[in-house]
Amino acid sequence: MSLILSSLSQGILWSVMAIGVYITFRILDIADLTAEGSFPLGAAICATGIVSGLHPLLASLLAFVGGLLAGLVSGLIHTKLKIPALLTGIITLTALYSVNLKVLGKANLALLGQETLVSKIYALGFTKTASVMIMGLVFLLVILLALTLFMRTQIGLALRASGDNLPMSASNGVYTDQMKIIAYMLSNALIALCGALLCQNNGYADLNSGVGTIVIGLASIIIAEVVLPKKTIGWRLASLVLGSIIYRLIILAILSIPGMDADLVKLCSAILLASVLYLPQLQKALQIRKPKLN
């Protein structure tokens, strides 16, 4: 039960990253590899800020700003230099490795004895797992409310229209390049914020913590769409929380198999992503083969 509750709390935190990945993957139809650089960037900024004496909430907000800047760089490279989205992510990811190393000063930075948002909530009398859940849920509620309202504004509608039909949006006077930059910035800001929250939960920031984050985000999105298909934008964003939790529970189930090597987690994640990506195609195939009743 403690492992299940821990997976639930981890799923809540990772859902912040899934929401960020959703913005570029589903709205712009881009699998942005910048995520694997902006995630450790957020952790690095947050950990360095906390160690330097900043309030953990302020350190988390600085991580959010750092993600905004990383997304701005990717957006400008993609729209102004006309570099394909995949190569744009690789370029920014490579550059962020050096940036993250400079911010951290070494490969990893521990938060032993430092006050974090988790420790502050824990001091109020909650358990460690409950503290993580409360922290994650508070941030999630703010993010979901803000994004749902934003997507209903003129800019939000223009952003979604640009992802649905780029030529039509441009012909109707939408500055599609600006919309792409906004999407890149929002996406990587949320991913960096997730890195900051998980850094405070884990008690350290690691230079290589971003490896595989895009896989986790994509798997959470596909699982959410399979479980709760065809929802409005607000419900789609909220469903990512469920998708992220289900993903963490599946990984827990895999690791609970007797004799399973913990070093194979990344391999299992990749196989799981391939499986969930195939699920929509399998559903369509089954619907086509289903006999029609007269």
Side-chain angles (χ1 to χ4, degrees), residues 201-285:
N201 175 52
N202 298 333
Y204 66 92
D206 189 88
L207 185 63
N208 297 310
S209 60
V211 177
T213 52
I214 188 70
V215 173
I216 298 172
L218 294 176
S220 301
I221 291 169
I222 303 301
I223 291 172
E225 291 175 344
V226 170
V227 176
L228 296 172
K230 298 180 181 179
K231 297 294 182 181
T232 60
I233 185 64
W235 282 109
R236 272 186 282 172
L237 292 172
S239 70
L240 297 177
V241 182
L242 179 61
S244 182
I245 291 173
I246 292 174
Y247 172 82
R248 299 308 305 181
L249 291 175
I250 293 173
I251 293 296
L252 174 62
I254 293 173
L255 291 175
S256 300
I257 298 173
M260 174 58 66
D261 188 351
D263 293 336
L264 299 178
V265 173
K266 297 297 183 184
L267 175 61
C268 294
S269 298
I271 295 172
L272 178 59
L273 175 60
S275 300
V276 296
L277 283 172
Y278 179 65
L279 279 178
Q281 302 301 322
L282 180 61
Q283 286 181 331
K284 290 180 182 179

Side-chain angles (χ1 to χ4, degrees), residues 11-281:
I12 290 171
L13 294 183
W14 280 104
S15 62
V16 176
M17 190 270 301
I19 294 171
V21 174
Y22 179 89
I23 294 174
T24 49
F25 180 63
R26 275 296 178 240
I27 295 180
L28 292 185
D29 196 24
I30 294 172
D32 181 26
L33 289 177
T34 310
E36 302 210 353
S38 55
F39 181 87
L41 173 65
I45 292 174
C46 181
T48 304
I50 290 174
V51 170
S52 300
L54 289 180
H55 190 281
L57 181 58
L58 178 58
S60 300
L61 294 177
L62 285 177
F64 183 87
V65 174
L68 280 175
L69 294 176
L72 175 62
V73 172
S74 285
L76 291 174
I77 291 174
H78 178 55
T79 58
K80 303 305 179 185
L81 302 184
K82 306 303 179 184
I83 295 176
L86 179 61
L87 293 179
T88 294
I90 294 173
I91 290 170
T92 312
L93 166 63
T94 304
L96 284 176
Y97 186 88
S98 295
V99 174
N100 295 338
L101 184 57
K102 282 296 183 182
V103 173
L104 279 175
K106 49 187 176 181
N108 53 71
L109 180 63
L111 295 177
L112 294 175
Q114 302 291 334
E115 274 200 341
T116 64
L117 291 175
V118 176
S119 66
K120 284 182 175 293
I121 299 173
Y122 179 77
L124 297 176
F126 295 96
T127 63
K128 174 66 182 298
T129 303
S131 301
V132 175
M133 286 186 178
I134 292 171
M135 177 184 71
L137 288 172
V138 169
F139 276 93
L140 266 178
L141 288 174
V142 173
I143 291 168
L144 290 173
L145 179 61
L147 274 181
T148 302
L149 293 175
F150 171 75
M151 290 299 177
R152 293 176 180 175
T153 63
Q154 281 191 329
I155 296 177
L157 292 172
L159 174 61
R160 293 160 62 186
S162 299
D164 290 336
N165 194 323
L166 195 63
M168 182 63 72
S169 299
S171 65
N172 281 293
V174 175
Y175 295 100
T176 54
D177 282 354
Q178 291 183 8
M179 295 302 106
K180 287 182 178 180
I181 292 173
I182 290 172
Y184 268 105
M185 292 176 69
L186 283 175
S187 172
N188 286 282
L190 291 175
I191 293 168
L193 177 61
C194 179
L197 297 179
L198 280 165
C199 158
Q200 295 177 68
N201 175 52
N202 298 333
Y204 66 92
D206 189 88
L207 185 63
N208 297 310
S209 60
V211 177
T213 52
I214 188 70
V215 173
I216 298 172
L218 294 176
S220 301
I221 291 169
I222 303 301
I223 291 172
E225 291 175 344
V226 170
V227 176
L228 296 172
K230 298 180 181 179
K231 297 294 182 181
T232 60
I233 185 64
W235 282 109
R236 272 186 282 172
L237 292 172
S239 70
L240 297 177
V241 182
L242 179 61
S244 182
I245 291 173
I246 292 174
Y247 172 82
R248 299 308 305 181
L249 291 175
I250 293 173
I251 293 296
L252 174 62
I254 293 173
L255 291 175
S256 300
I257 298 173
M260 174 58 66
D261 188 351
D263 293 336
L264 299 178
V265 173
K266 297 297 183 184
L267 175 61
C268 294
S269 298
I271 295 172
L272 178 59
L273 175 60
S275 300
V276 296
L277 283 172
Y278 179 65
L279 279 178
Q281 302 301 322

Side-chain angles (χ1 to χ4, degrees), residues 1-12:
M1 181 58 67
S2 62
L3 289 175
I4 293 174
L5 290 175
S6 178
S7 295
L8 287 173
S9 63
Q10 289 287 315
I12 290 171

